[in-house]
Amino acid sequence: MKKIEAIIKPFKLDEVKEALHEIGLQGLTVIEVKGFGRQKGHTELYRGAEYVVDFLPKVKIEVVLEANLVERAIEAIIQAARTGRIGDGKIFVSDVEEVIRIRTGEKGASAV
């Protein structure tokens, strides 16, 4: 089992969700986050005063899936989330040792 964490621009969430659904993934977790990378925030003007926005709003998607679906899921996320501009996001892939469905006690792939 693998876990994919993708940090993307908020307005790309629906496209990424649809792309993942098309390859057969049924569930995902979405978290609203803030952060910065090379984009380093930006300057805004509010009531005549200039201020720096260091942390930009992003969305973090978490998906746990079988290892054989990882490459398709990564490609789906990239295709759906890419704008070609700085700040498109990152994808992290890690191993998951165990998955347990709380309601039934199922373990492994059947619990996902």
Side-chain angles (χ1 to χ4, degrees), residues 41-61:
H42 61 278
T43 304
E44 289 188 4
L45 196 61
Y46 178 72
R47 294 190 178 179
E50 196 173 274
Y51 67 100
V52 177
V53 178
D54 290 330
F55 296 100
L56 299 172
K58 301 287 182 180
V59 172
K60 180 178 178 182
I61 298 170

Side-chain angles (χ1 to χ4, degrees), residues 22 27 38 42 47 64 73 75 78 81 86 90 104 109:
E22 285 177 15
R38 291 185 187 161
H42 61 278
R47 294 190 178 179
V64 175
E75 191 58 36
I78 290 171
I86 194 165
K90 299 266 191 304
T104 62

Side-chain angles (χ1 to χ4, degrees), residues 1-73:
M1 303 292 290
K2 298 284 187 176
K3 179 179 181 181
I4 296 177
E5 297 174 84
I7 299 172
I8 62 170
K9 292 182 175 184
F11 66 89
K12 287 294 197 171
L13 176 59
D14 286 336
E15 292 176 50
V16 171
K17 183 183 83 164
E18 287 299 318
L20 290 172
H21 183 71
E22 285 177 15
I23 65 164
L25 294 179
Q26 296 179 351
L28 58 90
T29 301
V30 177
I31 306 162
E32 292 182 15
V33 296
K34 292 185 179 188
F36 70 91
R38 291 185 187 161
Q39 202 173 359
K40 297 205 178 45
H42 61 278
T43 304
E44 289 188 4
L45 196 61
Y46 178 72
R47 294 190 178 179
E50 196 173 274
Y51 67 100
V52 177
V53 178
D54 290 330
F55 296 100
L56 299 172
K58 301 287 182 180
V59 172
K60 180 178 178 182
I61 298 170
E62 295 182 353
V63 180
V64 175
L65 65 168
E66 293 185 57
N68 62 342
L69 291 174
V70 169
E71 289 304 318
R72 290 177 55 205

